[in-house]
Short mmCIF file of all heavy atoms in Angstrom, two decimals:
data_model
loop_
_atom_site.label_atom_id
_atom_site.label_comp_id
_atom_site.label_asym_id
_atom_site.label_seq_id
_atom_site.Cartn_x
_atom_site.Cartn_y
_atom_site.Cartn_z
N ASP A 20 -33.98 68.43 -25.00
CA ASP A 20 -33.23 67.22 -24.65
C ASP A 20 -33.91 66.47 -23.51
O ASP A 20 -34.05 65.24 -23.53
CB ASP A 20 -31.80 67.64 -24.23
CG ASP A 20 -30.86 66.44 -24.15
OD1 ASP A 20 -31.29 65.33 -24.49
OD2 ASP A 20 -29.70 66.63 -23.74
N LEU A 21 -34.38 67.21 -22.50
CA LEU A 21 -35.03 66.58 -21.35
C LEU A 21 -36.36 65.93 -21.74
O LEU A 21 -36.70 64.85 -21.24
CB LEU A 21 -35.26 67.61 -20.24
CG LEU A 21 -34.01 68.15 -19.55
CD1 LEU A 21 -34.39 69.18 -18.49
CD2 LEU A 21 -33.20 67.03 -18.91
N ARG A 22 -37.08 66.56 -22.63
CA ARG A 22 -38.35 65.97 -23.08
C ARG A 22 -38.12 64.62 -23.76
O ARG A 22 -38.88 63.67 -23.57
CB ARG A 22 -39.08 66.92 -24.03
CG ARG A 22 -39.66 68.15 -23.36
CD ARG A 22 -40.63 68.89 -24.29
NE ARG A 22 -40.93 70.22 -23.81
CZ ARG A 22 -41.79 70.49 -22.84
NH1 ARG A 22 -42.43 69.49 -22.24
NH2 ARG A 22 -42.01 71.74 -22.46
N ASP A 23 -37.06 64.56 -24.56
CA ASP A 23 -36.74 63.29 -25.22
C ASP A 23 -36.41 62.22 -24.19
O ASP A 23 -36.81 61.05 -24.33
CB ASP A 23 -35.55 63.49 -26.16
CG ASP A 23 -35.91 64.33 -27.38
OD1 ASP A 23 -37.11 64.47 -27.67
OD2 ASP A 23 -34.98 64.86 -28.02
N SER A 24 -35.67 62.61 -23.16
CA SER A 24 -35.28 61.64 -22.13
C SER A 24 -36.50 61.18 -21.32
O SER A 24 -36.62 60.00 -20.98
CB SER A 24 -34.25 62.27 -21.19
OG SER A 24 -33.07 62.61 -21.89
N VAL A 25 -37.39 62.12 -21.00
CA VAL A 25 -38.60 61.78 -20.24
C VAL A 25 -39.51 60.86 -21.03
O VAL A 25 -40.15 59.96 -20.49
CB VAL A 25 -39.35 63.07 -19.83
CG1 VAL A 25 -40.73 62.73 -19.28
CG2 VAL A 25 -38.54 63.85 -18.80
N ALA A 26 -39.55 61.06 -22.35
CA ALA A 26 -40.41 60.24 -23.21
C ALA A 26 -40.05 58.76 -23.15
O ALA A 26 -40.89 57.89 -23.33
CB ALA A 26 -40.33 60.74 -24.65
N SER A 27 -38.77 58.51 -22.84
CA SER A 27 -38.33 57.12 -22.75
C SER A 27 -38.79 56.47 -21.45
O SER A 27 -38.75 55.25 -21.30
CB SER A 27 -36.80 57.03 -22.86
OG SER A 27 -36.18 57.70 -21.77
N GLY A 28 -39.23 57.31 -20.49
CA GLY A 28 -39.84 56.81 -19.26
C GLY A 28 -38.85 56.44 -18.16
O GLY A 28 -37.66 56.27 -18.39
N GLY A 29 -39.37 56.36 -16.94
CA GLY A 29 -38.60 55.86 -15.81
C GLY A 29 -37.70 56.84 -15.11
O GLY A 29 -36.97 56.46 -14.19
N LEU A 30 -37.71 58.09 -15.50
CA LEU A 30 -36.81 59.05 -14.88
C LEU A 30 -37.38 59.59 -13.58
O LEU A 30 -38.58 59.89 -13.47
CB LEU A 30 -36.53 60.22 -15.82
CG LEU A 30 -35.58 59.98 -17.00
CD1 LEU A 30 -35.41 61.28 -17.78
CD2 LEU A 30 -34.24 59.47 -16.53
N LYS A 31 -36.54 59.72 -12.58
CA LYS A 31 -36.89 60.37 -11.33
C LYS A 31 -36.35 61.80 -11.35
O LYS A 31 -35.52 62.16 -12.18
CB LYS A 31 -36.29 59.61 -10.14
CG LYS A 31 -36.83 58.21 -9.95
CD LYS A 31 -38.28 58.25 -9.48
CE LYS A 31 -38.80 56.85 -9.15
NZ LYS A 31 -40.21 56.88 -8.70
N GLY A 32 -36.82 62.60 -10.40
CA GLY A 32 -36.39 63.97 -10.33
C GLY A 32 -34.89 64.13 -10.23
O GLY A 32 -34.29 64.98 -10.86
N ARG A 33 -34.26 63.25 -9.42
CA ARG A 33 -32.81 63.35 -9.25
C ARG A 33 -32.08 63.09 -10.57
O ARG A 33 -31.03 63.67 -10.84
CB ARG A 33 -32.33 62.37 -8.18
CG ARG A 33 -32.50 60.90 -8.51
CD ARG A 33 -31.92 60.01 -7.41
NE ARG A 33 -32.67 60.18 -6.19
CZ ARG A 33 -33.77 59.48 -5.87
NH1 ARG A 33 -34.25 58.60 -6.75
NH2 ARG A 33 -34.40 59.67 -4.74
N ASP A 34 -32.65 62.22 -11.42
CA ASP A 34 -32.04 61.96 -12.72
C ASP A 34 -32.10 63.19 -13.62
O ASP A 34 -31.15 63.52 -14.32
CB ASP A 34 -32.77 60.80 -13.42
CG ASP A 34 -32.77 59.52 -12.60
OD1 ASP A 34 -31.70 59.21 -12.02
OD2 ASP A 34 -33.81 58.85 -12.53
N VAL A 35 -33.22 63.88 -13.57
CA VAL A 35 -33.40 65.08 -14.39
C VAL A 35 -32.47 66.20 -13.92
O VAL A 35 -31.89 66.92 -14.73
CB VAL A 35 -34.87 65.54 -14.35
CG1 VAL A 35 -35.02 66.91 -15.01
CG2 VAL A 35 -35.75 64.53 -15.07
N ILE A 36 -32.32 66.32 -12.60
CA ILE A 36 -31.43 67.36 -12.06
C ILE A 36 -29.99 67.11 -12.49
O ILE A 36 -29.27 68.03 -12.88
CB ILE A 36 -31.53 67.43 -10.52
CG1 ILE A 36 -32.94 67.88 -10.11
CG2 ILE A 36 -30.49 68.39 -9.96
CD1 ILE A 36 -33.20 67.78 -8.63
N GLU A 37 -29.58 65.86 -12.45
CA GLU A 37 -28.21 65.52 -12.86
C GLU A 37 -28.04 65.76 -14.37
O GLU A 37 -27.00 66.27 -14.80
CB GLU A 37 -27.90 64.06 -12.54
CG GLU A 37 -26.50 63.61 -12.94
CD GLU A 37 -25.39 64.45 -12.30
OE1 GLU A 37 -25.54 64.84 -11.13
OE2 GLU A 37 -24.39 64.73 -13.01
N LEU A 38 -29.06 65.41 -15.14
CA LEU A 38 -29.00 65.65 -16.58
C LEU A 38 -28.97 67.16 -16.87
O LEU A 38 -28.24 67.62 -17.75
CB LEU A 38 -30.20 65.00 -17.27
CG LEU A 38 -30.19 64.99 -18.80
CD1 LEU A 38 -28.95 64.30 -19.34
CD2 LEU A 38 -31.46 64.31 -19.33
N LEU A 39 -29.74 67.91 -16.10
CA LEU A 39 -29.74 69.36 -16.25
C LEU A 39 -28.36 69.92 -15.96
O LEU A 39 -27.86 70.78 -16.70
CB LEU A 39 -30.76 69.98 -15.29
CG LEU A 39 -30.74 71.52 -15.17
CD1 LEU A 39 -31.10 72.16 -16.51
CD2 LEU A 39 -31.70 71.97 -14.07
N ARG A 40 -27.74 69.44 -14.90
CA ARG A 40 -26.39 69.90 -14.56
C ARG A 40 -25.43 69.65 -15.72
O ARG A 40 -24.65 70.53 -16.10
CB ARG A 40 -25.88 69.19 -13.31
CG ARG A 40 -24.44 69.57 -12.95
CD ARG A 40 -23.82 68.60 -11.96
NE ARG A 40 -22.43 68.98 -11.71
CZ ARG A 40 -21.41 68.67 -12.50
NH1 ARG A 40 -21.62 67.95 -13.61
NH2 ARG A 40 -20.19 69.05 -12.20
N GLU A 41 -25.46 68.43 -16.27
CA GLU A 41 -24.56 68.09 -17.37
C GLU A 41 -24.77 69.01 -18.57
O GLU A 41 -23.79 69.48 -19.18
CB GLU A 41 -24.79 66.63 -17.78
CG GLU A 41 -24.35 65.61 -16.73
CD GLU A 41 -24.69 64.20 -17.15
OE1 GLU A 41 -25.21 64.02 -18.29
OE2 GLU A 41 -24.46 63.26 -16.35
N ARG A 42 -26.03 69.28 -18.90
CA ARG A 42 -26.31 70.10 -20.07
C ARG A 42 -25.91 71.56 -19.85
O ARG A 42 -25.42 72.22 -20.77
CB ARG A 42 -27.80 70.02 -20.43
CG ARG A 42 -28.25 68.63 -20.85
CD ARG A 42 -27.51 68.17 -22.11
NE ARG A 42 -27.91 66.82 -22.49
CZ ARG A 42 -27.25 65.72 -22.16
NH1 ARG A 42 -26.13 65.81 -21.45
NH2 ARG A 42 -27.67 64.53 -22.54
N LEU A 43 -26.10 72.06 -18.65
CA LEU A 43 -25.70 73.43 -18.35
C LEU A 43 -24.19 73.60 -18.45
O LEU A 43 -23.69 74.58 -19.00
CB LEU A 43 -26.19 73.84 -16.96
CG LEU A 43 -27.69 74.09 -16.81
CD1 LEU A 43 -28.04 74.33 -15.34
CD2 LEU A 43 -28.14 75.27 -17.66
N VAL A 44 -23.45 72.64 -17.90
CA VAL A 44 -21.99 72.70 -17.97
C VAL A 44 -21.53 72.64 -19.43
O VAL A 44 -20.63 73.39 -19.84
CB VAL A 44 -21.34 71.56 -17.15
CG1 VAL A 44 -19.84 71.50 -17.41
CG2 VAL A 44 -21.60 71.76 -15.66
N GLU A 45 -22.15 71.76 -20.21
CA GLU A 45 -21.78 71.63 -21.62
C GLU A 45 -21.95 72.95 -22.37
O GLU A 45 -21.14 73.28 -23.25
CB GLU A 45 -22.65 70.55 -22.28
CG GLU A 45 -22.27 69.14 -21.90
CD GLU A 45 -23.23 68.11 -22.47
OE1 GLU A 45 -24.19 68.53 -23.18
OE2 GLU A 45 -23.07 66.91 -22.19
N ARG A 46 -22.99 73.72 -22.03
CA ARG A 46 -23.23 74.99 -22.72
C ARG A 46 -22.11 76.00 -22.48
O ARG A 46 -21.93 76.94 -23.25
CB ARG A 46 -24.54 75.63 -22.25
CG ARG A 46 -25.77 74.78 -22.42
CD ARG A 46 -26.12 74.50 -23.84
NE ARG A 46 -26.50 75.68 -24.62
CZ ARG A 46 -27.02 75.62 -25.83
NH1 ARG A 46 -27.21 74.45 -26.43
NH2 ARG A 46 -27.32 76.73 -26.49
N LEU A 47 -21.35 75.80 -21.40
CA LEU A 47 -20.32 76.78 -21.01
C LEU A 47 -18.90 76.31 -21.32
O LEU A 47 -17.95 77.06 -21.09
CB LEU A 47 -20.43 77.08 -19.51
CG LEU A 47 -21.74 77.73 -19.05
CD1 LEU A 47 -21.79 77.77 -17.52
CD2 LEU A 47 -21.88 79.14 -19.63
N GLN A 48 -18.76 75.11 -21.83
CA GLN A 48 -17.42 74.57 -22.06
C GLN A 48 -16.85 75.04 -23.40
O GLN A 48 -17.55 75.53 -24.26
CB GLN A 48 -17.46 73.05 -21.99
CG GLN A 48 -17.65 72.52 -20.58
CD GLN A 48 -17.69 71.00 -20.52
OE1 GLN A 48 -18.06 70.33 -21.49
NE2 GLN A 48 -17.31 70.44 -19.38
N GLY A 49 -15.51 74.88 -23.51
CA GLY A 49 -14.85 75.14 -24.77
C GLY A 49 -14.41 76.57 -25.00
O GLY A 49 -14.06 76.94 -26.13
N LYS A 50 -14.42 77.40 -23.94
CA LYS A 50 -14.00 78.80 -24.09
C LYS A 50 -12.77 79.07 -23.23
O LYS A 50 -12.61 78.49 -22.15
CB LYS A 50 -15.13 79.76 -23.69
CG LYS A 50 -16.36 79.68 -24.60
CD LYS A 50 -17.38 80.71 -24.18
CE LYS A 50 -18.59 80.69 -25.13
NZ LYS A 50 -19.38 79.48 -24.99
N ASN A 51 -11.91 79.96 -23.72
CA ASN A 51 -10.73 80.35 -22.97
C ASN A 51 -11.12 81.39 -21.92
O ASN A 51 -11.53 82.51 -22.27
CB ASN A 51 -9.67 80.92 -23.91
CG ASN A 51 -8.42 81.37 -23.17
OD1 ASN A 51 -8.24 81.11 -21.98
ND2 ASN A 51 -7.52 82.05 -23.86
N ARG A 52 -10.99 81.07 -20.66
CA ARG A 52 -11.42 81.97 -19.59
C ARG A 52 -10.26 82.55 -18.79
O ARG A 52 -10.46 83.21 -17.78
CB ARG A 52 -12.39 81.23 -18.65
CG ARG A 52 -13.61 80.69 -19.38
CD ARG A 52 -14.65 80.09 -18.46
NE ARG A 52 -15.71 79.46 -19.24
CZ ARG A 52 -16.72 80.13 -19.79
NH1 ARG A 52 -16.80 81.42 -19.65
NH2 ARG A 52 -17.64 79.49 -20.49
N THR A 53 -9.06 82.30 -19.22
CA THR A 53 -7.90 82.84 -18.51
C THR A 53 -7.63 84.27 -18.99
O THR A 53 -7.86 84.60 -20.16
CB THR A 53 -6.64 81.99 -18.75
OG1 THR A 53 -6.36 81.96 -20.17
CG2 THR A 53 -6.86 80.57 -18.24
N LEU A 54 -7.12 85.10 -18.10
CA LEU A 54 -6.73 86.45 -18.48
C LEU A 54 -5.41 86.39 -19.23
O LEU A 54 -4.50 85.66 -18.85
CB LEU A 54 -6.59 87.34 -17.25
CG LEU A 54 -7.87 87.65 -16.47
CD1 LEU A 54 -7.57 88.61 -15.33
CD2 LEU A 54 -8.94 88.25 -17.38
N ALA A 55 -5.32 87.17 -20.28
CA ALA A 55 -4.12 87.15 -21.12
C ALA A 55 -2.90 87.65 -20.35
O ALA A 55 -2.99 88.48 -19.45
CB ALA A 55 -4.34 88.03 -22.35
N VAL A 56 -1.75 87.12 -20.73
CA VAL A 56 -0.47 87.56 -20.16
C VAL A 56 0.48 87.83 -21.32
O VAL A 56 0.73 86.96 -22.15
CB VAL A 56 0.14 86.49 -19.23
CG1 VAL A 56 1.48 86.98 -18.68
CG2 VAL A 56 -0.80 86.17 -18.08
N SER A 57 1.01 89.04 -21.37
CA SER A 57 1.95 89.40 -22.42
C SER A 57 3.31 88.74 -22.17
O SER A 57 3.76 88.64 -21.02
CB SER A 57 2.13 90.92 -22.46
OG SER A 57 3.14 91.28 -23.37
N GLN A 58 3.95 88.27 -23.23
CA GLN A 58 5.28 87.68 -23.08
C GLN A 58 6.28 88.72 -22.59
O GLN A 58 7.23 88.39 -21.88
CB GLN A 58 5.74 87.09 -24.42
CG GLN A 58 4.94 85.87 -24.85
CD GLN A 58 5.48 85.25 -26.13
OE1 GLN A 58 6.29 85.84 -26.83
NE2 GLN A 58 5.03 84.04 -26.43
N GLN A 59 6.04 89.97 -22.98
CA GLN A 59 6.91 91.07 -22.55
C GLN A 59 6.08 92.05 -21.73
O GLN A 59 5.21 92.73 -22.25
CB GLN A 59 7.51 91.79 -23.77
CG GLN A 59 8.40 92.98 -23.43
CD GLN A 59 9.66 92.55 -22.69
OE1 GLN A 59 10.26 91.53 -23.02
NE2 GLN A 59 10.06 93.33 -21.69
N PRO A 60 6.30 92.15 -20.40
CA PRO A 60 5.53 93.08 -19.57
C PRO A 60 5.70 94.52 -20.08
O PRO A 60 6.72 94.84 -20.69
CB PRO A 60 6.15 92.91 -18.18
CG PRO A 60 6.81 91.56 -18.23
CD PRO A 60 7.31 91.40 -19.62
N PRO A 61 4.69 95.37 -19.82
CA PRO A 61 3.50 95.08 -19.01
C PRO A 61 2.36 94.45 -19.81
O PRO A 61 2.22 94.70 -21.01
CB PRO A 61 3.09 96.48 -18.54
CG PRO A 61 3.49 97.37 -19.68
CD PRO A 61 4.76 96.80 -20.22
N THR A 62 1.57 93.64 -19.12
CA THR A 62 0.30 93.19 -19.68
C THR A 62 -0.70 94.32 -19.46
O THR A 62 -0.80 94.87 -18.36
CB THR A 62 -0.20 91.93 -18.95
OG1 THR A 62 0.69 90.84 -19.24
CG2 THR A 62 -1.60 91.56 -19.40
N VAL A 63 -1.42 94.68 -20.51
CA VAL A 63 -2.36 95.80 -20.42
C VAL A 63 -3.79 95.26 -20.46
O VAL A 63 -4.17 94.54 -21.39
CB VAL A 63 -2.16 96.80 -21.56
CG1 VAL A 63 -3.18 97.94 -21.46
CG2 VAL A 63 -0.74 97.35 -21.54
N ILE A 64 -4.56 95.61 -19.43
CA ILE A 64 -5.97 95.22 -19.36
C ILE A 64 -6.83 96.48 -19.38
O ILE A 64 -6.76 97.31 -18.48
CB ILE A 64 -6.27 94.41 -18.08
CG1 ILE A 64 -5.39 93.14 -18.02
CG2 ILE A 64 -7.75 94.02 -18.03
CD1 ILE A 64 -5.57 92.32 -16.77
#
């Protein structure tokens, strides 16, 4: 993705770092990260 963006020209280091941040966050999104809670205690982990 970064190579494609660089090919278009004009990018500074700060632009690449921000783009890197966005792509890293995207790779981690969309997952349930909360610990389960049983409707009727006890919750067993």
Side-chain angles (χ1 to χ4, degrees):
D20 193 4
L21 292 179
R22 289 193 194 281
D23 290 342
S24 298
V25 169
S27 63
L30 285 182
K31 296 290 186 180
R33 66 177 64 88
D34 302 318
V35 170
I36 295 172
E37 180 57 38
L38 188 57
L39 171 63
R40 177 196 177 278
E41 292 176 3
R42 295 299 178 264
L43 287 173
V44 171
E45 286 174 1
R46 303 295 295 189
L47 297 171
Q48 288 180 333
K50 295 183 177 69
N51 179 10
R52 302 186 187 279
T53 60
L54 293 183
V56 179
S57 174
Q58 292 184 347
Q59 178 66 40
T62 293
V63 179
I64 302 177

